[in-house]
Amino acid sequence: MVVRGGYGIFYAPALTSAGGTVGNFGFRADTPYVGLAADLTPLSYLSNPFPNGFTAAVGSSKGLLSSIGTAINAPLRATKVPYTENWNLNIQYELPGGILLDAGYVANRGLQLNESGEGTFNLNQLTTAQLALGNKLQASVLNPFSGLITVGTLATKNIQAGMLLTPFPQYPSVFPLYLNGSSSSYHSFQLKGERRFSKGMSALMTYTFAKAIDDYSIIANAGRNAAIQNVYDRYSERSVSPNDISQSLLLTSIYELPIGRGHWVGKNWNHVTNFLIGGWQVNGILTLQTGFPLALSTQNTSNAGGAVLRPNTNGKSAALPGTTEERLSRYFDTSVFTQPDPFTFGNVGRTLGDLRGPGIHNVDFSAFKNFRIKERANLQFRGEFFNLTNTPTFNLPDQVRSNSTFGRITSTAASPRQVQFALKLLF
């Protein structure tokens, strides 16, 4: 028996370590290249690609008027380095027959994590107190920026009153880059059983029972994220992570059939019989996995300027009985959710803890036949069957309450059964 444990703090690279020049308003200018006119007449040549010169940067000459009237997306100067605290404790024990059993508790906590996905955290959002003004926010008032701003929604003579109540009324929206401060937690029980290769067979089983919680979740362009509804109330954004997989079971096995010379069956076969019948190996992979939590949204009638609006719930569970195939047209009870009143936020959580999308039930199988040609050459025939049982893996249902297909599953996430045969020469 072996007992292992550990704890560590791991720091991620600083978010601004490779920030580039994004957001250097006034000190960055892009000169577009136009090679052809509408009638395909050449306008620019490689010898002189910018005949009209370069667009000059205005620098600080406009002061606080720099880029007014346009949506800005700029990095923050004062950011904290993200880090995680990781800890684990596991026990290994070797059972008779060369079977290794490993059970452990694995957890981590993330702090100061990145939460500035572009277009998801608008600093120009109205507060709930301002939303209480209701229709007064849409009243037409004189635009104090008229004449100063000549492009965009702030260039008109009159604008809606709510546009002047934002923290930065000179910009339609303000999205910070490299904003951090979100957190996450992960706790799991992990079990592994392994039979090392012996007598032509090996097997591996892994099982994870886990729960991940966060208030923002995305990794670069990977993973699922649930957008923030109210930037002033981060506590209400904390929920089961959109990337949480509560249970996962994986079984893999390799088995060299005991058929052929030197095995139980055909121990004394001649070379021709052994060449034709012996030398078979079968392999299998079974994957069972629960689905992701659902993250609902609806038509954004809050008029707050946020990235998303979530629906209201009457407090009842929307889970329905039956298999996924039986619920394709109504995966969950859609009547539980309603559209919030204008100028209000929905009360549904960032994700639904009791309602998940379809899971994965998949079997892959393969059979190999080895033909010994000579001592250093071996020909292998391979028959591979992906999704052997042709079990469909469905995509998540429509999670937008205002869509006509809300609650329906209309596509699959994986391919149907695929079969391929191949010959492989090893030398």
Side-chain angles (χ1 to χ4, degrees):
M1 177 183 291
V2 178
V3 179
R4 293 187 176 92
Y7 172 85
I9 298 178
F10 301 86
Y11 291 88
L15 298 176
T16 55
S17 59
T21 58
V22 176
N24 291 331
F25 300 102
F27 296 91
R28 170 176 173 163
D30 297 321
T31 304
Y33 171 79
V34 182
L36 296 174
D39 59 356
L40 301 184
T41 302
L43 296 178
S44 305
Y45 298 88
L46 291 178
S47 58
N48 185 19
F50 300 100
N52 298 322
F54 295 98
T55 302
V58 298
S60 59
S61 60
K62 294 185 178 181
L64 295 178
L65 297 179
S66 298
S67 301
I68 62 169
T70 62
I72 62 172
N73 194 332
L76 300 177
R77 296 189 178 185
T79 60
K80 296 182 180 180
V81 176
Y83 69 95
T84 62
E85 297 177 282
N86 299 326
W87 61 94
N88 65 82
L89 176 66
N90 68 355
I91 300 175
Q92 286 186 342
Y93 187 78
E94 186 170 0
L95 301 174
I99 298 176
L100 180 66
L101 193 63
D102 189 333
Y105 163 63
V106 179
N108 65 62
R109 179 176 178 233
L111 296 168
Q112 301 300 337
L113 303 178
N114 183 18
E115 57 184 24
S116 59
E118 185 174 348
T120 63
F121 201 106
N122 184 11
L123 296 181
N124 252 3
Q125 190 177 102
L126 294 177
T127 65
T128 53
Q130 292 170 328
L131 291 179
L133 295 173
N135 292 326
K136 294 180 181 179
L137 295 172
Q138 297 178 331
S140 179
V141 297
L142 290 176
N143 182 8
F145 301 109
S146 180
L148 292 175
I149 298 176
T150 58
V151 295
T153 58
L154 295 175
T156 58
K157 183 178 180 180
N158 294 288
I159 58 175
Q160 292 184 356
M163 300 177 68
L164 299 178
L165 298 179
T166 61
F168 308 97
Q170 69 271 36
Y171 305 110
S173 61
V174 178
F175 292 105
L177 293 177
Y178 316 123
L179 177 68
N180 58 4
S182 64
S183 62
S184 68
S185 67
Y186 174 82
H187 299 273
S188 68
F189 167 73
Q190 299 182 9
L191 178 66
K192 182 176 75 172
E194 180 180 6
R195 185 186 189 277
R196 298 168 184 172
F197 192 80
S198 175
K199 298 180 181 180
M201 181 179 181
S202 69
L204 174 66
M205 180 277 292
T206 62
Y207 172 74
T208 301
F209 179 77
K211 189 171 187 178
I213 297 176
D214 57 34
D215 55 16
Y216 190 87
S217 53
I218 197 167
I219 307 172
N221 295 319
R224 295 178 65 233
N225 193 28
I228 297 171
Q229 179 177 242
N230 183 1
V231 298
Y232 303 110
D233 184 11
R234 296 305 309 278
Y235 182 79
S236 64
E237 301 297 325
R238 190 167 178 81
S239 68
V240 176
S241 172
N243 300 299
D244 176 67
I245 299 175
S246 61
Q247 296 189 72
S248 176
L249 174 67
L250 178 68
L251 298 174
T252 66
S253 180
I254 298 174
Y255 184 41
E256 291 182 351
L257 298 181
I259 301 175
R261 289 176 64 87
H263 295 289
W264 297 341
V265 179
K267 181 177 181 180
N268 298 316
W269 281 350
N270 58 48
H271 291 287
V272 175
T273 305
N274 186 69
F275 182 84
L276 296 175
I277 304 178
W280 280 96
Q281 172 186 318
V282 293
N283 317 282
I285 302 175
L286 170 66
T287 304
L288 301 176
Q289 181 176 296
T290 55
F292 294 113
L294 299 186
L296 304 187
S297 63
T298 188
Q299 180 184 0
N300 197 341
T301 56
S302 69
N303 297 283
V308 70
L309 177 66
R310 298 195 279 267
N312 282 333
T313 174
N314 60 14
K316 298 180 180 179
S317 174
L320 294 175
T323 64
T324 300
E325 287 82 354
E326 295 171 341
R327 295 182 288 144
L328 293 179
S329 59
R330 191 168 181 256
Y331 187 74
F332 54 87
D333 187 358
T334 57
S335 65
V336 171
F337 308 102
T338 56
Q339 178 73 27
D341 292 333
F343 309 105
T344 64
F345 293 120
N347 62 14
V348 167
R350 186 164 147 265
T351 60
L352 301 178
D354 65 334
L355 190 57
R356 292 176 177 267
I360 298 175
H361 303 81
N362 186 75
V363 177
D364 295 327
F365 175 80
S366 63
F368 300 165
K369 172 69 171 73
N370 295 306
F371 300 92
R372 177 72 66 181
I373 299 176
K374 57 173 63 176
E375 183 178 355
R376 294 188 177 182
N378 191 46
L379 182 65
Q380 185 181 79
F381 166 78
R382 304 167 64 95
E384 297 169 307
F385 305 81
F386 303 99
N387 191 4
L388 176 67
T389 59
N390 202 30
T391 302
T393 298
F394 292 99
N395 270 320
L396 295 172
D398 190 332
Q399 300 164 82
V400 182
R401 191 258 169 210
S402 52
N403 288 348
S404 60
T405 56
F406 179 53
R408 299 181 187 176
I409 296 178
T410 58
S411 62
T412 56
S415 301
R417 181 193 298 120
Q418 294 184 350
V419 181
Q420 65 182 29
F421 301 100
L423 284 175
K424 186 176 182 180
L425 181 63
L426 297 94
F427 59 92

